[in-house]
Amino acid sequence: MKQIDHGILIHKLTYSESSLILSFYTQQNGIQKFIFQGGKKKGTAIYPLSLLELTYYRRPDSELGKLTGVSASESIQHIPFHPVRSAIAFFIADVVRQCLKTEQDDEALYQFLKEKIIELDTTEELALYPIFFLSDFSYHLGMFPNIPEEGGKFFVLNEGEFTGHKPIGEIIVEGEVVDYLINIFEGKRSELSHTQLKKEAFEVLLNYYALHIPKFDTSSSLDILREVLY
């Protein structure tokens, strides 16, 4: 039976000379994988974070659906053709692929990802975009850190909280980057221009994810991103 869904491309693998294995985070069915026979020869642009309408068939006894057609569901103008945006998209797709494993639908999460992709296509704050994405995405993953009203001098990574007292035996971050991160998590982002703190905050957030997401490893997508942004 033919089915239609909307999906965000998070991984692409060459299957044969003309076919692809594609992984999507879909609007109705969470994470889904498809074989797209002849997909390499068809005209639709398929790139990391593509927003696509999917037409497919799926057998009940198979984890791999058969994709028969794709078409763009949103007008994305710049991501596929802008080297920095493309590098960010590759990294974000890698993060999403490693963090989301379930076939359960989540409309709020799908809309969040869709809005962030459209933002990536238009924003001029490219160096801050991955930092904002990681902080905002943590909310949807249930790992948004606790921030007390008085703020904090320390970010306890393994506990997911900011605190004013230095704990013993915990994985902590301290220094100027802590205030920087609190501003990011609280959405106070108008004055975040310090280049070195951007780089430091990005690395802290990567470590935070690595502590809370099993087998989190973005090394395959990080080298280019670090080179072009930080």
Side-chain angles (χ1 to χ4, degrees):
M1 178 179 171
K2 183 174 74 172
Q3 301 182 61
I4 296 176
D5 201 350
H6 289 86
I8 298 166
L9 182 70
I10 56 175
H11 192 248
K12 178 171 70 173
L13 180 68
T14 295
Y15 179 70
S16 68
E17 185 176 333
S18 62
S19 299
L20 301 165
I21 301 292
L22 303 175
S23 298
F24 292 89
Y25 184 69
T26 67
Q27 186 172 13
Q28 299 175 26
N29 298 288
I31 297 295
Q32 296 291 315
K33 292 184 179 180
F34 303 94
I35 183 170
F36 190 20
Q37 294 176 331
K40 294 177 71 175
K41 297 182 177 180
K42 296 185 178 179
T44 303
I46 300 175
Y47 53 87
L49 301 186
S50 300
L51 291 164
L52 300 171
E53 182 179 274
L54 316 173
T55 304
Y56 65 95
Y57 294 86
R58 179 179 296 282
R59 288 167 41 188
D61 59 344
S62 175
E63 294 183 358
L64 194 64
K66 183 179 179 180
L67 197 61
T68 59
V70 298
S71 60
S73 60
E74 296 290 335
S75 178
I76 299 299
Q77 302 294 324
H78 306 296
I79 292 175
F81 313 108
H82 189 287
V84 178
R85 295 180 203 273
S86 294
I88 295 172
F90 183 61
F91 167 74
I92 297 300
D94 193 18
V95 170
V96 173
R97 179 177 63 86
Q98 295 192 54
C99 293
L100 303 181
K101 305 293 185 181
T102 180
E103 296 181 359
Q104 180 66 41
D105 67 296
D106 185 332
E107 180 67 23
L109 176 54
Y110 181 84
Q111 292 301 327
F112 162 77
L113 293 173
K114 177 180 173 181
E115 289 169 7
K116 296 302 286 187
I117 293 165
I118 293 170
E119 179 184 337
L120 174 58
D121 195 51
T122 58
T123 184
E124 297 303 321
E125 292 287 354
L126 292 175
L128 286 168
Y129 179 92
I131 301 170
F132 294 164
F133 179 86
L134 291 173
S135 63
D136 294 341
F137 193 34
S138 71
Y139 174 82
H140 291 272
L141 297 174
M143 47 184 270
F144 194 85
N146 179 57
I147 305 173
E149 289 186 7
E150 64 274 14
K153 296 181 179 180
F154 307 96
F155 183 17
V156 188
L157 297 182
N158 54 310
E159 294 294 333
E161 64 178 5
F162 291 86
T163 178
H165 306 284
K166 188 173 185 178
I168 299 174
E170 305 289 357
I171 303 172
I172 67 168
V173 172
E174 57 185 309
E176 192 176 357
V177 72
V178 173
D179 287 335
Y180 194 85
L181 284 165
I182 288 174
N183 285 332
I184 288 169
F185 280 114
E186 291 186 336
K188 302 171 183 175
R189 301 173 176 180
S190 60
E191 302 297 330
L192 302 177
S193 60
H194 194 298
T195 301
Q196 180 57 37
L197 285 179
K198 289 177 189 175
K199 179 179 179 180
E200 190 174 349
F202 180 65
E203 298 297 335
V204 169
L205 288 170
L206 289 176
N207 291 334
Y208 183 55
Y209 270 68
L211 283 169
H212 292 271
I213 303 297
K215 299 180 181 179
F216 184 80
D217 179 9
T218 55
S219 55
S220 63
S221 59
L222 268 177
D223 289 344
I224 295 176
L225 192 67
R226 285 184 173 129
E227 183 177 339
V228 299
L229 287 185
Y230 308 116

